Amino acid sequence: MTKRVVTLAHYYTQPEVQQMADKVGDSLELSLYAQEAQADIIVFAGVRFMAETAKILNPKARVVLPDAGSTCSLVTQTDVTALAKWRHSYPDHVHVAYINSSAAHKALSDWIVTSRNVDDVIADLYRQGKKVIFSPDRNMGAYLNFQYGYDMPLWSAVCEVHDKFNETALNEAIGAVDAAHLIAHPESPLPVLQRAEYVGSTSGMLNWVKGYQGEAKDVIFVATEDGILYNMRQARPDLDLRQAPIYAGCQCNSCPYMKLNTVEAVQRAQDGIGLEIDYLTEEQMAAARVPIERMLAFSQRYLA
């Protein structure tokens, strides 16, 4: 009997890999798709925490990550034992964790959020009178505290790609053109986010570009991983889209882990060869599933 293979790819993977996928999206879109996928094998061209999330949401499917080295600095910078102690030091707080986290991290959380729904989830918790701690992304948490006046205690880890965006280099780049706009992912440092006219998720930035009504000669700097520029240029070939610099003269900020998803690696994974996500215990998946499904249920009303 032929097994049904579904391939998912994040926006940060190479264009050639995206063209191999049944679904291309951001973390929230791919999580929802994985939950409903009628698949025997899910090939996840992304990073390990995404493949783990797919397995948690669709435990009957075999989930294969093309390259075992596809991790995330937000995961590797977080010691889960230390995180547990930190979480337990705030017993009267709700623990909101960004989806860029390991399964063990998610199991210690009350809510999982993505960059697309983090504002709405945390705002709703504060409306209920709850106190919140936020992990693991320090930059995202700092932006939320600044933007909305929260006082959330923050875990201290960063995305090594977004953390490189530099205010000084950005000022130089903007100063070198006649008219410029900046859009940014909330994993970027706070001084960069304070300069941006739009801060949002990968899909949010893509939609901003699609709807841009300004002058075609304007330069739009994008402070996120360079993979999404492919999708933006496909949608709006008329615009001058540039990745924000990480230092003067450099627009070269790629996620090394996402780029491990080569065409050859994905092809092997479609044949069942790769890192299978078969190491999570039933207890761990059950504990992690609760905050993920809480987020997905909350987010359904925001997705068309």
Side-chain angles (χ1 to χ4, degrees):
M1 182 176 177
T2 303
K3 293 186 179 297
R4 173 165 164 73
V5 179
V6 171
T7 301
L8 311 181
H10 194 272
Y11 283 126
Y12 293 169
T13 56
Q14 299 172 18
E16 297 80 7
V17 168
Q18 294 186 33
Q19 291 162 12
M20 300 170 68
D22 298 288
K23 174 69 176 178
V24 177
D26 63 10
S27 294
L28 181 56
E29 291 166 332
L30 296 177
S31 295
L32 286 165
Y33 196 88
Q35 186 180 40
E36 302 297 331
Q38 300 297 311
D40 299 297
I41 300 174
I42 295 175
V43 172
F44 210 121
V47 293
R48 186 182 295 208
F49 77 79
M50 297 179 181
E52 289 180 345
T53 302
K55 180 66 176 179
I56 290 164
L57 291 172
N58 197 335
K60 293 183 179 179
R62 285 184 63 203
V63 178
V64 181
L65 184 69
D67 192 296
S70 300
T71 185
C72 172
S73 61
L74 288 165
V75 173
T76 59
Q77 292 174 15
T78 299
D79 178 272
V80 175
T81 300
L83 179 76
K85 292 179 181 177
W86 179 77
R87 194 268 172 272
H88 292 311
S89 70
Y90 294 97
D92 58 343
H93 285 59
V94 176
H95 181 197
V96 176
Y98 187 33
I99 198 168
N100 295 31
S101 53
S102 67
H105 189 143
K106 290 178 173 70
L108 292 169
S109 309
D110 300 303
W111 280 85
I112 297 301
V113 292
T114 71
S115 54
R116 197 197 307 194
N117 58 33
V118 59
D119 298 56
D120 295 319
V121 169
I122 292 179
D124 191 65
L125 290 170
Y126 271 98
R127 278 194 295 269
Q128 296 175 46
K130 304 288 179 64
K131 293 187 288 186
V132 177
I133 59 173
F134 184 78
S135 70
D137 193 299
R138 180 184 70 219
N139 287 337
M140 184 178 292
Y143 175 72
L144 292 164
N145 280 342
F146 165 79
Q147 186 75 3
Y148 301 109
Y150 301 148
D151 58 353
M152 297 184 297
L154 308 176
W155 186 255
S156 188
V158 295
C159 167
E160 65 184 66
V161 175
H162 289 89
D163 197 52
K164 292 177 183 176
F165 290 117
N166 180 280
E167 182 186 20
T168 300
L170 182 62
N171 288 340
E172 292 177 4
I174 289 175
V177 299
D178 292 331
H181 301 271
L182 172 66
I183 60 176
H185 192 281
E187 293 176 25
S188 305
L190 183 58
V192 172
L193 298 175
Q194 289 172 314
R195 289 291 310 270
E197 62 186 87
Y198 176 79
V199 176
S201 68
T202 311
S203 287
M205 288 187 290
L206 178 58
N207 288 334
W208 188 95
V209 167
K210 288 178 178 178
Y212 180 73
Q213 297 295 318
E215 297 290 333
K217 64 181 176 58
D218 294 350
V219 176
I220 300 172
F221 289 102
V222 183
T224 193
E225 208 271 352
D226 62 2
I228 190 61
L229 290 171
Y230 163 73
N231 307 87
M232 290 177 173
R233 288 166 178 154
Q234 290 286 106
R236 292 295 303 271
D238 56 311
L239 300 180
D240 187 347
L241 294 155
R242 307 181 190 179
Q243 190 183 33
I246 58 175
Y247 56 84
C250 179
Q251 294 171 258
C252 48
N253 209 9
S254 295
C255 175
Y257 311 114
M258 285 287 188
K259 295 324 188 236
L260 292 174
N261 293 283
T262 63
V263 169
E264 295 76 19
V266 173
Q267 288 173 337
R268 289 194 297 270
Q270 290 171 335
D271 291 330
I273 302 169
L275 176 68
E276 184 168 354
I277 309 300
D278 59 0
Y279 51 82
L280 302 176
T281 67
E282 290 294 331
E283 293 77 14
Q284 193 175 54
M285 287 197 292
R289 190 175 297 118
V290 172
I292 297 171
E293 290 188 337
R294 187 173 285 147
M295 177 266 289
L296 293 178
F298 181 92
S299 297
Q300 289 284 2
R301 68 179 113 159
Y302 295 103
L303 295 175

